[in-house]
Each structure stands twice: as structure tokens, then as C-alpha cells.
Amino acid sequence: MLESVTSAALVSALDGLSARQRAIADNIANVNTPGYKAKRIDFEDALRASVARRDGHVKATGRESLDPTRLDGNNVNLDVETLSNIQAVLSYQFATQAVNGQFSSIRTALRTA
Amino acid sequence: MTFDAISIAGSGLSTHRIWLDSLSDNISNINTAVSPNEEAFRQRYVAVQADKNGPGVEVVGALFGDPEGRLVYEPAHPLADENGYVRYPDIDLGEQMSHLILAQRGYAANAGVVDRAKATYEAALQIGRS
């Protein structure tokens, strides 16, 4: 219970989402830097596969975006970054709630003993 | 590293602020006349790059525009030479204004990242409470 697939998957999701938030912060900080390539963080597909294998431990992987660049060689899209930032924040809050739910189930189990 | 996203956005905020400062310096000197034997006000360009030592952005220096400027025939001007010319900086106001908008929007975008990073970290601090 304390080291279940669910908690491992939630921790992996929290790690991946916070890595994504750092990447987005980097992308937006460099929105006007000539030659900068946007960074992307992937973990969802690997996490889904890992949960199917009853594991849940996944490391997020980073890559550079292949989106077309502007004339200055930069390919950061402010709208895309802002939207995925908001999405990452909400997913993160959602995952923290799920973690808290896990903890409160454990607490309930401890009390019934 | 604990609150990384906030400091990354902070580097973006200060870079865009420096850009705004240099643009306002350029615009405020757009009509600074000198006599033709002196250098005109040199337009400032901010050089930036993605931070080499980790995420974020950094200002690596300033580049200066051409001191040649343009000569304008204003014989009544106190700084005019014997042919009646004074030297003005050759700054394109339209270009400066559009860069000003880019810098301002970039600054606002980074300020938004700070807000959202704060919401995430606050959620993280709630883990285990309830």
C-alpha cells in the first residue's frame, strides 16, 4: 500500500509535470532569444505503459521542439507555452489531491487497526 | 533548485526589463542633435542568449548602432556647422516601438509564469496535509 503502483505513478507524474513547468519557464524566458529552440518534456506515454506493467516508475525525457522557427531561428509559441503551462499547473494540483487521497486512505487503514 | 520555475521566469523578467530600458533610452534620444563633427547618439541593442549554465536566459552585453547618424539641414540650429547641418541619430521609431511591444509582452508572459509556478508550489506544499 505504501509503495503501490498508484503512489509510484503519482510521484512520477508530479516529477514529470514539475520538469515540464521548468521547461516552459525556460521557453517563455527565452521567447525573444534568437536561435533558441523550445524544450518539450514527455512522460505520459511511458507512464501509461509503465502502469500497464504494474510498475509506475518513470523518468521524464526532454527533447527539442521541431516546430518551424521564426526568422530569428526561435520556435517558441507563446500561446502554446501559456496553455500547456496552465494545463501543467492544473494537472499538478490534481495529482497533489490524488496523493493526499492516497495518504488519507492509509490514515483510515491505520485507524481501523 | 527548490523553486526553479520562479527563478527561470525571473531571468526572463530581468532580460525583458533591460530590453525595455534600452529601448526607452533609444527613444528618448531619438531627437538628440549634435554638431556634425561629433558622434551621433548610438542606438543600443541588447544581446541575449539562453543561459549556458542551466535553464533561463541571460544578457551577454550591449551592441551599439552606427555613430554616423544622419545630417539634417537646420541652419538656425545653434549646433549647426558653417554649411547649416546638424547630426541626428539614425533611429527608426517604428522599429523601436514594435520592439517595445515585444519586450512588454515578453515581460508580461514571464510575470504570468511566476504566478502559475507559485500556484504549483503552493499545491506541492499542501501534500500530506488534510
Side-chain angles (χ1 to χ4, degrees):
Chain A
M1 179 75 198
L2 290 169
E3 248 311 309
S4 64
V5 180
T6 316
S7 8
L10 284 171
V11 169
S12 301
L14 286 172
D15 286 349
L17 287 167
S18 73
R20 177 170 296 156
Q21 290 224 65
R22 284 196 293 277
I24 293 170
D26 198 10
N27 294 344
I28 294 184
N30 283 290
V31 65
N32 286 310
T33 305
Y36 179 84
K37 300 290 180 293
K39 295 191 174 69
R40 296 274 176 267
I41 300 288
D42 303 309
F43 67 91
E44 281 96 339
D45 292 343
L47 182 56
R48 194 174 300 121
S50 172
V51 168
R53 288 195 308 272
R54 309 229 162 270
D55 178 25
H57 296 276
V58 154
K59 265 198 124 35
T61 52
R63 61 180 168 90
E64 278 189 356
S65 160
L66 296 173
D67 289 348
T69 63
R70 305 194 300 248
L71 279 179
D72 64 356
N74 181 310
N75 68 352
V76 177
N77 272 316
L78 200 48
D79 45 358
V80 173
E81 299 299 332
T82 307
L83 284 177
S84 57
N85 194 359
I86 293 170
Q87 202 161 35
V89 171
L90 293 175
S91 308
Y92 194 96
Q93 291 176 342
F94 193 48
T96 56
Q97 280 193 18
V99 172
N100 277 338
Q102 279 282 104
F103 283 155
S104 73
S105 325
I106 294 169
R107 236 177 258 128
T108 312
L110 288 173
R111 267 200 294 274
T112 51
Chain B
M1 91 112 250
T2 327
F3 299 118
D4 246 2
I6 291 181
S7 39
I8 298 169
S11 76
L13 282 174
S14 40
T15 301
H16 284 91
R17 179 181 45 73
I18 291 168
W19 194 16
L20 281 168
D21 288 348
S22 81
L23 288 167
S24 63
D25 191 24
N26 292 343
I27 294 173
S28 62
N29 280 293
I30 201 161
N31 285 315
T32 304
V34 292
S35 70
N37 53 21
E38 288 177 61
E39 282 191 353
F41 171 82
R42 299 178 71 176
Q43 174 180 352
R44 195 189 311 248
Y45 299 88
V46 178
V48 299
Q49 65 180 26
D51 199 327
K52 290 265 183 288
N53 307 311
V57 61
E58 60 179 355
V59 175
V60 286
L63 303 172
F64 290 92
D66 128 63
E68 178 69 30
R70 59 197 162 87
L71 291 174
V72 179
Y73 184 65
E74 278 181 21
H77 199 292
L79 293 173
D81 65 359
E82 61 275 15
N83 300 319
Y85 284 99
V86 285
R87 193 183 294 285
Y88 280 98
D90 193 13
I91 297 175
D92 180 352
L93 185 59
E95 185 186 78
Q96 297 295 315
M97 295 309 280
S98 59
H99 284 172
L100 203 59
I101 293 172
L102 282 176
Q104 189 212 340
R105 295 296 151 101
Y107 190 92
N110 277 284
V113 174
V114 175
D115 276 348
R116 293 190 288 272
K118 193 167 147 269
T120 308
Y121 293 135
E122 278 168 358
L125 291 172
Q126 293 305 315
I127 294 177
R129 299 189 186 178
S130 69

